[in-house]
Amino acid sequence: MYGKMHSACLYGIEGVMIGVEIDLANGLPQTNIIGLPDSAIREAVERVRAAIKNCGYRYPQQRITINLAPADLRKEGSAFDLAIALGILITSGQLIMPSANEVLFIGELALDGSLRPVSGVLPMVEAARKNGFKAVLLPEGNAAEAALISGINIYAIDHLCALPNPEESLSNSAKGEDEQNRRNGGVSEDMPSLSSLPFPVTVTKGIDANDRPPVLVLSLEHLKYTPVYGTSEDSSYGMNEMMDDYSDVLGQQHVKRALTIAAAGMHNILLIGPPGTGKTMLIKRLPSILPILSESEALEVTKIFSAAGTLKDAHNGLLRSRPFRSPHHTISAAGLIGGGGIPKPGEVSLAHRGILFLDELPEFSRNVLEVLRQPLEDGVVTISRARASFTYPAKFMLAASMNPCNCGYFGSNLSQQHCTCSPARIAQYRAKISGPLLDRIDLQVDVPRPKEWDRQGHVLSSAEMYAEVMAAQTIQAKRFKRLPISWNSELSGASLRRYASLSREGAQLLYDILENLGLSMRAHDRIIKLSRTIADLEGAPDITSAHLAEAVQYRNLDRQAMTEE
């Protein structure tokens, strides 16, 4: 006897369809799972055996072989339990499901037969839709997340007992109905009511010579597909009134200007200043001035959080606010970039389309910081293992803060707070941030101790900064509507020359600046992209010398290094 069900697993952050083949043969009772399963899948045998028995079904006393195809792809996780259990019941004749080939089965079984949610459901369901499946049957805990994918029907059960025991269903039938069933060839005219399942159920009794046990028939034919859960229609996204506001920050107008530029073009930014000047406070308010995620970006980000198992509340629809990740400085390289025995997305991928905030940048291990160089340039992370290579998206804005020295008061103009660090110690402290990494940071801004201590003057708020950012973002959306990019920081090559060209005077000015400061060609391109964003904020069609000059003055550490030499 042979049967086949369909399930799925994760490959990186993408779902992969897996065929669950069941073969029942005569021989000593044993169950084997083949097809490169991990430990969690091998242990599914005991979970499925106990669940089937505790739900009133019988576990076949035969030689059972379960193959997970394709056999050359390593599988992880417990999402195959439901497909294995239903496959055994169908192959052994206890269950009939004519539309099984059109349904994807996902879920982990408890020993009592209840279904537990699994991680990574969103990319699995998306892959099922792309592969032509009509429906997905999964635990109720995953239903809201799965329903975020349109164009496929989501059915949810919380227990294997939601599929009623045929013996119990028949024993509850009236004697007259049972007699009528026999005359009708074993099919009940009145199907048992089953509120937890959205498809019809028929209980039959065998009429062959051996009078087979009753069989449960599940049919998805003639069914109008309607998801159990729908996506949220709430469109009230945007400025979150509960977010911290930049009006809380007194003074620091030049820093707010730099943050507005960074948000308008998704440029990397580094704030440098003594302790207590508001560096962390300023960066933590960045999400309040960023535009919400577009539909495609929201799906990308939600898939990453689903694959990482950190999608908390799917009932509100796709994630719309941009991620803000702030790992502690003790994080490892694998935690930041991703990896592990079973590779998972790291912080740089969880910050995709959002902000990665590294507070006290020099306190991070140098090895950890150096792994940022490649994703900052390419926007992706590739993790290679012996059997597979995984690629995760990592397009994020790097926002960082640091003190100017170990004690934090280098360059302070207050007599009460003077620096106690030697030049060698200051150089050693700053050397923790390599030149190539610093070269990838577009805005390097000093944050001195504020002098404005009252609210008599105008205090720039998040709403005002947000309006400027949205105006610049609208310009970029029109400019890049036919390109696979959204921000000025993503310009490169021919697109950079086309959309951020310089006049002859501007090109000469930039050449002179590069020669005087000794900047790299990477810094040359980043200055042009930053100038393009500054021009967009002012609504200027072309980059002028004033825009270039402002962009260059944000290369603060580069200018300081030149002065010290």
Side-chain angles (χ1 to χ4, degrees):
M1 291 182 287
Y2 171 84
K4 183 176 181 180
M5 309 297 285
H6 297 279
S7 190
C9 69
L10 286 179
Y11 189 84
I13 62 167
E14 300 297 329
V16 178
M17 296 296 99
I18 302 295
V20 180
E21 300 176 311
I22 312 291
D23 178 74
L24 272 61
N26 295 328
L28 292 175
Q30 59 178 323
T31 304
N32 296 314
I33 300 181
I34 58 177
L36 292 181
D38 71 343
S39 298
I41 299 176
R42 292 192 189 98
E43 292 170 353
V45 173
E46 302 305 323
R47 291 194 298 272
V48 169
R49 189 197 310 272
I52 287 178
K53 289 182 177 179
N54 290 331
C55 289
Y57 297 95
R58 59 180 178 82
Y59 193 84
Q61 297 300 306
Q62 295 175 279
R63 182 184 179 90
I64 304 174
T65 303
I66 302 168
N67 179 44
L68 306 179
D72 60 343
L73 179 68
R74 182 167 293 279
K75 294 90 179 173
E76 293 100 6
S78 55
F80 301 103
D81 290 9
L82 181 59
I84 292 173
L86 294 181
I88 290 175
L89 293 177
I90 290 173
T91 308
S92 62
Q94 301 177 71
L95 192 68
I96 296 176
M97 192 171 187
S99 302
N101 289 333
E102 302 174 0
V103 184
L104 185 74
F105 300 92
I106 303 172
E108 175 186 336
L109 281 173
L111 298 185
D112 65 347
S114 59
L115 265 74
R116 293 170 175 159
V118 297
S119 61
V121 163
L122 190 67
M124 294 182 195
V125 175
E126 185 190 29
R129 182 187 63 180
K130 291 179 179 178
N131 282 271
F133 286 87
K134 294 183 178 179
V136 180
L137 183 64
L138 39 61
E140 284 190 349
N142 289 126
E145 179 182 344
L148 297 176
I149 302 297
S150 60
I152 190 168
N153 300 293
I154 308 302
Y155 304 133
I157 57 176
D158 60 355
H159 203 285
L160 201 59
C161 285
L163 312 177
N165 187 301
E167 297 280 4
E168 295 178 0
S169 298
L170 279 182
S171 65
N172 292 334
S173 300
K175 293 182 179 180
E177 291 180 356
D178 185 61
E179 183 63 27
Q180 182 68 30
N181 292 345
R182 293 178 182 275
R183 290 197 297 266
N184 291 338
V187 181
S188 173
E189 292 180 349
D190 298 322
M191 295 184 297
S193 61
L194 190 59
S195 59
S196 57
L197 284 177
F199 40 81
V201 178
T202 305
V203 177
T204 70
K205 186 171 183 181
I207 56 174
D208 59 4
N210 297 324
D211 195 19
R212 294 184 292 119
V215 178
L216 185 69
V217 181
L218 303 182
S219 177
L220 293 181
E221 297 175 355
H222 314 298
L223 176 67
K224 181 179 180 181
Y225 295 103
T226 304
V228 175
Y229 295 88
T231 55
S232 172
E233 299 297 332
D234 182 13
S235 59
S236 59
Y237 293 104
M239 294 292 293
N240 188 343
E241 295 180 358
M242 299 302 295
M243 280 185 179
D244 294 327
D245 196 277
Y246 274 112
S247 60
D248 303 328
V249 183
L250 301 181
Q252 307 294 10
Q253 300 298 323
H254 72 292
V255 185
K256 292 182 182 180
R257 166 68 175 175
L259 290 166
T260 302
I261 296 171
M266 291 298 282
H267 299 283
N268 303 323
I269 185 169
L270 171 65
L271 302 186
I272 311 143
T277 56
K279 302 184 297 295
T280 302
M281 186 179 183
L282 285 159
I283 291 179
K284 283 188 174 180
R285 282 157 173 74
L286 259 177
S288 67
I289 64 173
L290 287 174
I292 63 171
L293 294 166
S294 66
E295 193 69 25
S296 59
E297 290 175 335
L299 182 58
E300 285 180 42
V301 172
T302 309
K303 281 174 58 178
I304 295 172
F305 277 79
S306 175
T310 56
L311 186 60
K312 300 299 182 184
D313 186 11
H315 289 83
N316 293 327
L318 297 173
L319 298 176
R320 291 293 179 176
S321 58
R322 295 189 179 270
F324 184 89
R325 307 293 297 184
S326 180
H328 193 260
H329 64 261
T330 56
I331 191 172
S332 66
L336 187 64
I337 211 73
I342 300 175
K344 293 289 184 182
E347 290 292 331
V348 297
S349 295
L350 294 173
H352 180 62
R353 301 294 183 184
I355 301 168
L356 177 66
F357 176 35
L358 302 183
D359 201 7
E360 302 298 341
L361 188 65
E363 300 302 326
F364 286 79
S365 166
R366 185 183 176 96
N367 292 336
V368 171
L369 294 179
E370 291 308 301
V371 301
L372 289 173
R373 288 158 60 172
Q374 184 259 339
L376 282 174
E377 203 70 27
D378 300 337
V380 295
V381 172
T382 301
I383 301 171
S384 298
R385 293 292 181 264
R387 292 183 177 271
S389 179
F390 302 91
T391 299
Y392 301 110
K395 291 182 179 179
F396 58 91
M397 177 204 298
L398 175 63
S401 67
M402 63 175 286
N403 295 327
C405 63
N406 280 337
C407 74
Y409 297 106
F410 176 72
S412 175
N413 54 3
L414 294 178
S415 59
Q416 300 91 335
Q417 298 173 341
H418 59 277
C419 179
T420 59
C421 302
S422 65
R425 287 193 66 191
I426 296 174
Q428 182 182 13
Y429 180 77
R430 295 192 176 185
K432 293 181 180 179
I433 307 172
S434 67
L437 178 60
L438 194 62
D439 206 27
R440 290 167 167 81
I441 300 178
D442 304 320
L443 297 102
Q444 306 154 12
V445 186
D446 274 330
V447 186
R449 182 173 179 269
K451 296 180 180 180
E452 301 90 341
W453 292 98
D454 59 7
R455 292 181 177 267
Q456 295 178 1
H458 176 68
V459 179
L460 199 61
S461 67
S462 289
E464 295 171 287
M465 298 167 67
Y466 178 76
E468 293 185 55
V469 171
M470 286 306 299
Q473 201 274 335
T474 302
I475 294 173
Q476 294 173 69
K478 293 180 180 178
R479 179 186 298 139
F480 304 134
K481 61 181 179 181
R482 296 184 179 180
L483 296 178
I485 61 177
S486 304
W487 306 91
N488 288 329
S489 59
E490 298 175 295
L491 287 170
S492 63
S495 61
L496 177 63
R497 294 190 297 270
R498 178 179 178 182
Y499 296 108
S501 59
L502 301 178
S503 64
R504 180 174 299 179
E505 295 77 10
Q508 183 61 45
L509 174 63
L510 184 56
Y511 174 79
D512 294 339
I513 291 172
L514 292 176
E515 288 297 310
N516 292 332
L517 296 182
L519 300 180
S520 66
M521 290 307 297
R522 179 187 289 112
H524 169 274
D525 288 353
R526 288 186 173 271
I527 289 172
I528 294 177
K529 289 185 277 189
L530 192 62
S531 303
R532 179 68 270 174
T533 300
I534 295 171
D536 290 341
L537 283 169
E538 296 182 1
D542 300 316
I543 299 173
T544 66
S545 299
H547 301 145
L548 282 170
E550 183 177 358
V552 170
Q553 67 96 15
Y554 288 122
R555 308 287 301 194
N556 190 44
L557 290 184
D558 293 326
R559 292 188 290 109
Q560 287 183 7
M562 186 64 189
T563 303
E564 291 171 2
E565 290 178 2

